[in-house]
Amino acid sequence: MTAQPLTRRSILAQAWPIMLGQTTVPLVGLVDTAVIGWTGDAAALAGVALGTAIISFIFWAFGFLRMGMTGLTAQAHGRAAREEVDGLLVRGVAAGVGIGVVLVALQIVLVPAVFALLAGGGALDAAAREFVTARFIGAPAALGFYAISGWLFGLGRTRETLALQILVNLVNGVLDIVFVWQFGMGARGVGLGTAIAEWVGLIAGIALVVRIAGLRALLAQRAGFFHGAAWKRLFAVNADIMVRTIALLALFLWLANAGARLGTVQLAANHVLMQLVSIFAFVLDGFAFTAESRVGQAVGKRARAELLRAIRLTGEFSLGFGLLATLAALLFGGALIDLLTTNVEVREAARSVLPLAALAAIVGVPAWLLDGVFIGATQGRALRNAASLATSLYIATDLLLRPFGATGLWLALLASYFFRAGLLAIHLPRLFATVAEPPARA
């Protein structure tokens, strides 16, 4: 488990499997959207959009199982602490599966509570409820898979992560098509296909990490599994990341609800365009995730020069690919909209704000990259404060721009990326100051 040299070539070698694997995530979202969209049922498409936002809010509230695991693992790897690396994996997977089981038990309370807060009703709510209920079946697997992914990212094992991601998303896409087109299950079929794919991913992930770490090494963690200090550190580091994640999820849930207030057609159009934005975010996350790993290793080694170089190299690639993504969206976004839905009204509504959605690729780069930097450094307080304030500023901006309809909605989203990046950048000097170079050896 030796670290790779910090060069442009090594950064790109580490990032491209993440980019390819992350691309398959929104591609499955595209399949989900297209499978429903080609039926011409705008209510079902809007229901999947609203249901996806709800599930993302609930599941990704525990996204620290992926993000915190990456930073902690990378830092332990930087210190060459092999036993700590293995212990983090075992505790992380156990925590993810355990929290997922609790979520399954609590869905009877959670689902009605969430729908009571959202603007919808009628066929829209019915479709969204079917999707959400089916997705809850995969909660333990999804959260356990978060921990495995974070552990692999922390070690820089991006090709293995790519293999797992492709497997999960292929299973997801195939099952969605079968359940919706073959069995006519609608939104419930999309949710069930994703839930089954998540269980396939967890089983395959466990098999993979056992091969990497060794069964004997993982079993050796049994003696210290209930070690209080280790569990306390795991959740202490991740508590702030959890608040940060909830704040950002609240932002996107507000966005989905703002679309619902504009009507079923606009909500469906926003969902189509968010597939485009998701492609930007997931692809560019290849460099953000690489930053998490490289920054974490630099912090673990107390190497300030390496930290600065990791930020600079990943930043160069992020900006370049962000510009290319914006241009591609402007050129091919209309064709993508036509591919995803046959509904004429939804197509027209999506095209009217396509240029604003395309700008998200370049506007979001600083926010996505700095997220990776602070996650890798496990600077949870900075992440928490920046996300909480950025979400508050976004909501205020959205309320101010509400008279401008869909245009105002997308302008507010773009502003949220500026808020996040600026508020995180304020904490950079403090981060650099905390990473002191180790004393020179004689």
Side-chain angles (χ1 to χ4, degrees):
M1 295 187 184
T2 58
Q4 298 175 341
L6 190 54
T7 63
R8 287 184 178 84
R9 178 175 293 181
S10 68
I11 290 292
L12 190 58
Q14 186 172 341
W16 77 258
I18 304 175
M19 295 171 68
L20 186 57
Q22 291 293 97
T23 300
T24 65
V25 177
L27 284 179
V28 170
L30 292 177
V31 172
D32 292 348
T33 303
V35 167
I36 295 294
W38 288 344
T39 66
D41 189 341
L45 180 57
V48 170
L50 189 59
T52 299
I54 293 169
I55 285 295
S56 294
F57 183 89
I58 295 173
F59 283 18
W60 266 105
F62 305 96
F64 65 82
L65 291 165
R66 204 287 299 163
M67 293 175 284
M69 183 65 65
T70 298
L72 290 170
T73 301
Q75 291 180 25
H77 185 46
R79 293 192 298 269
R82 175 64 185 273
E83 288 189 5
E84 184 180 350
V85 169
D86 294 340
L88 283 166
L89 171 66
V90 173
R91 293 185 186 90
V93 174
V97 173
I99 294 171
V101 171
V102 172
L103 286 179
V104 173
L106 291 178
Q107 67 172 304
I108 299 176
V109 177
L110 288 174
V111 175
V114 171
F115 275 97
L117 299 174
L118 300 178
L124 171 59
D125 267 10
R129 283 177 181 270
E130 289 180 350
F131 176 85
V132 168
T133 302
R135 281 297 308 274
F136 261 100
I137 297 172
L143 271 57
F145 190 77
Y146 288 170
I148 291 174
S149 297
W151 187 79
L152 291 171
F153 283 136
L155 296 179
R157 308 290 295 244
T158 56
R159 296 190 182 188
E160 289 87 345
T161 312
L162 168 61
L164 286 176
Q165 199 69 66
I166 290 175
L167 172 64
V168 170
N169 294 331
L170 281 176
V171 172
N172 189 359
V174 170
L175 290 179
D176 285 353
I177 292 172
V178 171
F179 289 155
V180 175
W181 288 356
Q182 184 67 29
F183 298 109
M185 296 175 65
R188 179 186 288 112
V190 174
L192 184 60
T194 303
I196 294 174
E198 287 166 339
W199 279 105
V200 172
L202 177 64
I203 294 170
I206 291 173
L208 176 63
V209 297
V210 167
R211 183 177 64 83
I212 292 172
L215 182 60
R216 183 173 298 179
L218 294 179
L219 290 176
Q221 297 298 319
R222 289 179 299 176
F225 179 78
F226 294 103
H227 194 266
W231 280 100
K232 183 177 180 180
R233 180 169 181 266
L234 178 65
F235 283 102
V237 168
N238 288 315
D240 288 331
I241 297 179
M242 182 177 184
V243 174
R244 167 260 181 200
T245 305
I246 291 175
L248 294 182
L249 290 171
L251 186 156
F252 285 102
L253 194 60
W254 180 280
L255 174 67
N257 198 42
R261 291 181 185 277
L262 294 175
T264 298
V265 170
Q266 188 59 55
L267 176 59
N270 287 345
H271 183 61
V272 169
L273 289 174
M274 283 305 296
Q275 304 311 307
L276 188 64
V277 176
S278 294
I279 293 176
F280 304 153
F282 281 115
V283 170
L284 292 169
D285 269 348
F287 298 111
F289 288 4
T290 301
E292 291 179 22
S293 174
R294 294 312 186 109
V295 167
Q297 291 176 25
V299 170
K301 291 187 285 188
R302 298 174 61 198
R304 185 185 299 171
E306 186 173 324
L307 168 65
L308 293 171
R309 182 169 174 79
I311 295 173
R312 180 170 63 83
L313 294 182
T314 52
E316 290 175 2
F317 280 113
S318 294
L319 287 172
F321 276 81
L323 285 170
L324 289 175
T326 293
L327 291 174
L330 291 172
L331 291 173
F332 306 111
L336 180 63
I337 292 170
D338 291 343
L339 179 65
L340 294 180
T341 180
T342 59
N343 188 291
V344 175
E345 290 181 305
V346 173
R347 284 179 172 179
E348 291 177 353
R351 274 194 171 85
S352 67
V353 287
L354 174 61
L356 295 177
L359 285 175
I362 188 61
V363 171
V365 162
W368 298 327
L369 180 64
L370 287 174
D371 263 357
V373 170
F374 283 92
I375 288 170
T378 59
Q379 294 288 311
R381 183 172 298 180
L383 288 162
R384 178 198 67 194
N385 294 344
S388 300
L389 185 52
T391 298
S392 299
L393 291 172
Y394 159 73
I395 292 174
T397 304
D398 179 72
L399 291 173
L400 288 173
L401 296 177
R402 186 159 287 181
F404 298 96
T407 299
L409 182 151
W410 280 93
L411 285 173
L413 177 63
L414 292 177
S416 74
Y417 292 124
F418 282 112
F419 298 148
R420 287 170 57 188
L423 292 167
L424 282 173
I426 292 172
H427 296 276
L428 279 174
R430 183 179 299 175
L431 170 61
F432 298 148
T434 60
V435 183
E437 295 285 356
R441 295 183 179 180

